[in-house]
Amino acid sequence: MPASVVIPQRFQDIVRAYLPYAGAGELDASQELAALGLDSMGVVQLLAALEEGYGLEFPDDALDQETFSTVGSLWRMVSEVQHGDE
């Protein structure tokens, strides 16, 4: 996913709570979630927060290491599930 992809503010607000090393600026699609401090417990909590925040349920096959590698890959998964529910 190109770094030029716009990551919606609502998504950033939810995700930022689980990224202790994220600065105050905009999150970039290419930023690695692990480098921003997302750990395995954070993944579980973040997943629940995203499902609640967007009223979604993520399919098990979407929950893999690639999905949680970067801000952009996680947003892509949220976006795909969201648009699939419409």
Side-chain angles (χ1 to χ4, degrees), residues 18 33 38-50 64 68:
Y18 302 93
L33 293 169
L38 185 65
D39 59 18
S40 57
M41 181 57 87
V43 166
V44 173
Q45 294 169 338
L46 174 55
L47 183 61
L50 288 169
D64 58 22
F68 289 92

Side-chain angles (χ1 to χ4, degrees), residues 8 10-12 14 49-56 75 78 82:
R10 176 179 173 198
F11 176 81
Q12 289 190 46
I14 293 170
L50 288 169
E51 287 184 332
E52 184 177 326
Y54 281 92
L56 304 171
W75 166 244
V78 170
Q82 186 177 25

